[in-house]
């Protein structure tokens, strides 16, 4: 079968993801031998979304945890965006670890994730679709670095600011992690990205969120039920029995932020730094998946070792 090439340089290898804004493939840069990720969208399916994502990546270029753009353009019936290849998403790793992360791993993630969002905000952008699939671990030497991806719904803050007094704004992003303001038809701002991240932390600790699996006749009814449940659950109620009080403080703090309120990112990181130290954890970049992989490798070595070695 003939290879599919993008720009006569990037070979499309295998599909690794799909979403409302295109298909994602792993690929190979035939010039360097490097692995890359290739996002494709049909020309007929509004390529401006992919172009906007490319421009966001370029505006954020140079930040820690932001993949580089290698190429963007039209190839046959598709527009293609070629970026750095990355490792598994936090959703993939949660599945690998049995649908729960330890407190230490959640705190290690929190420290990097808040920093990524702060950097995105500092460059004048809102992510607007924070979820576990929006974060991927790096590869090789960057294997402990958390990357932020999927800027399909990203928006410049100045554009959002023009719409801040509008009502009835359609729900944007992923309803499971959407902020209460988002559910209430308000334009999203800095606090909404951070509130969504708070729900991600709770999801990692509980394995699911209380509003998952709600039944409703229509999507609108489902959104209304999820919103009602979120509004009825304080940060303390969400975290009770699963996470320490610092996470409840985080959620309540982010929910209180008005559109123009600039979050105190340093305060939020200090909140978790203090908890990390009080728990006696080492900042050694050993995540749950690191330990699980090591245990599996050790088990495999022990299983395949000659009997003389095992004795």
């Amino acid at each position: 079968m003939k290879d599919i090439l993008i720009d006569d340089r990037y070979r499309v290898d295998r599909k690794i993801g799909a979403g409302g804004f295109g298909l994602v493939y792993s690929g190979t840069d035939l010039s360097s031998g490097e692995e890359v990720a290739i996002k494709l969208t049909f020309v007929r399916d509004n390529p401006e979304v992919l172009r906007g994502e490319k421009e966001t990546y370029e505006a954020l270029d140079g930040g820690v945890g932001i993949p580089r753009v290698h190429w963007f353009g039209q190839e046959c019936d598709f527009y293609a965006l070629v970026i750095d290849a990355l490792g598994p998403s936090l959703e993939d790793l949660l599945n690998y670890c049995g649908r729960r992360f330890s407190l230490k791993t959640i705190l290690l993630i929190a420290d990097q994730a808040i920093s990524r969002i702060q950097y995105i905000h500092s460059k004048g952008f809102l992510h607007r679709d924070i979820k576990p699939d929006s974060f991927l671990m790096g590869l090789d030497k960057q294997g402990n670095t958390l990357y932020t991806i999927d800027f399909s719904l990203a928006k410049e803050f100045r554009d959002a600011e023009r719409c801040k007094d509008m009502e009835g704004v359609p729900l944007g992003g992923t309803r499971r992690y959407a902020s209460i303001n988002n559910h209430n038809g308000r334009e999203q701002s800095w606090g909404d990205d951070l509130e969504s991240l708070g729900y991600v932390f709770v999801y990692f600790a509980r394995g699911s969120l209380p509003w998952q699996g709600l039944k409703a006749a229509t999507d609108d009814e489902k959104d209304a039920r999820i919103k009602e449940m979120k509004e009825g659950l304080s940060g303390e109620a969400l975290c009770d029995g699963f996470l320490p009080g610092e996470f409840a403080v985080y959620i309540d703090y982010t929910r209180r932020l008005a559109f123009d309120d600039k979050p105190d990112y340093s305060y939020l990181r200090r909140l978790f730094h203090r908890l990390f130290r009080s728990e006696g954890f080492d900042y050694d970049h050993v995540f749950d998946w690191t330990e699980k992989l090591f245990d599996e490798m050790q088990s495999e070595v022990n299983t395949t070792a000659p009997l003389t070695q095992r004795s």
Side-chain angles (χ1 to χ4, degrees):
M1 185 176 176
K2 188 177 179 181
D3 288 339
I4 300 173
L5 297 180
I6 303 295
D7 192 37
D8 291 325
R9 175 174 176 173
Y10 303 101
R11 185 183 68 217
V12 178
D13 294 333
R14 61 186 176 84
K15 182 178 172 183
I16 56 175
F21 297 99
L23 305 171
V24 183
Y25 291 81
S26 67
T28 304
D29 181 343
L30 298 180
S31 295
S32 65
E34 280 185 286
E35 187 181 353
V36 295
I38 303 168
K39 191 168 186 178
L40 300 174
T41 187
F42 280 109
V43 170
R44 65 172 184 266
D45 292 342
N46 188 11
E48 290 309 308
V49 173
L50 195 59
R51 185 185 301 278
E53 186 168 10
K54 168 252 187 187
E55 290 172 353
T56 303
Y57 277 123
E58 289 180 337
L60 299 174
D61 186 51
V64 175
I66 302 295
R68 294 170 300 137
V69 171
H70 293 254
W71 188 83
F72 172 79
Q74 185 174 351
E75 188 68 53
C76 300
D77 294 333
F78 293 91
Y79 270 90
L81 174 62
V82 183
I83 64 172
D84 289 337
L86 297 170
S89 72
L90 293 184
E91 182 69 33
D92 295 330
L93 291 166
L94 186 69
N95 288 325
Y96 176 64
C97 294
R99 301 292 307 163
R100 291 285 196 287
F101 283 152
S102 67
L103 175 59
K104 178 186 174 183
T105 287
I106 296 171
L107 287 170
L108 288 172
I109 291 169
D111 188 49
Q112 292 199 54
I114 294 169
S115 293
R116 299 298 170 271
I117 292 176
Q118 180 179 4
Y119 174 74
I120 293 164
H121 291 175
S122 76
K123 302 298 281 187
F125 287 87
L126 306 169
H127 189 284
R128 301 184 352 124
D129 194 17
I130 295 294
K131 57 186 185 294
D133 290 303
S134 301
F135 296 102
L136 277 64
M137 300 306 295
L139 292 172
D140 302 325
K141 291 180 180 179
Q142 303 303 319
N144 293 322
T145 300
L146 187 70
Y147 282 76
T148 311
I149 65 160
D150 195 3
F151 291 91
S152 303
L153 297 177
K155 194 172 190 175
E156 289 191 63
F157 177 77
R158 63 187 181 188
D159 293 333
E161 196 170 26
R162 296 189 191 105
C163 307
K164 69 178 182 179
D165 295 322
M166 290 178 61
E167 296 183 0
V169 176
L171 181 73
T174 306
R175 62 165 64 94
R176 183 184 295 176
Y177 308 102
S179 68
I180 292 173
N181 279 335
N182 193 355
H183 279 290
N184 282 324
R186 300 192 187 105
E187 188 69 23
Q188 295 186 65
S189 186
W190 304 302
D192 299 277
D193 278 347
L194 291 170
E195 181 182 339
S196 293
L197 183 62
Y199 299 140
V200 171
F201 298 152
V202 175
Y203 175 74
F204 288 157
R206 299 177 62 135
S208 64
L209 289 165
W211 44 84
Q212 285 182 238
L214 290 177
K215 305 299 181 185
T218 66
D219 283 346
D220 286 345
E221 286 182 23
K222 189 169 188 176
D223 290 340
R225 291 195 64 192
I226 291 173
K227 181 192 85 163
E228 183 180 355
M229 184 169 281
K230 284 179 183 174
E231 289 178 329
L233 288 168
S234 65
E236 183 179 4
L238 274 171
C239 298
D240 187 35
F242 296 95
L243 286 168
E246 285 81 356
F247 286 88
V249 171
Y250 173 97
I251 289 169
D252 291 338
Y253 172 85
T254 58
R255 283 176 168 181
R256 286 195 302 270
L257 292 169
F259 185 93
D260 292 312
D261 289 342
K262 193 79 179 218
D264 188 340
Y265 308 94
S266 296
Y267 160 71
L268 295 174
R269 292 184 67 203
R270 283 198 307 272
L271 190 69
F272 292 141
H273 282 172
R274 287 196 295 268
L275 175 60
F276 195 90
R277 289 195 299 271
S278 71
E279 292 288 333
F281 297 139
D282 291 325
Y283 209 96
D284 52 11
H285 300 290
V286 176
F287 298 89
D288 290 344
W289 54 86
T290 317
E291 292 186 340
K292 182 175 171 64
L293 183 60
F294 178 79
D295 289 344
E296 288 176 350
M297 290 171 65
Q298 286 295 105
S299 177
E300 188 175 329
V301 167
N302 292 337
T303 302
T304 57
L307 286 173
T308 53
Q309 285 184 262
R310 279 184 268 166
S311 59

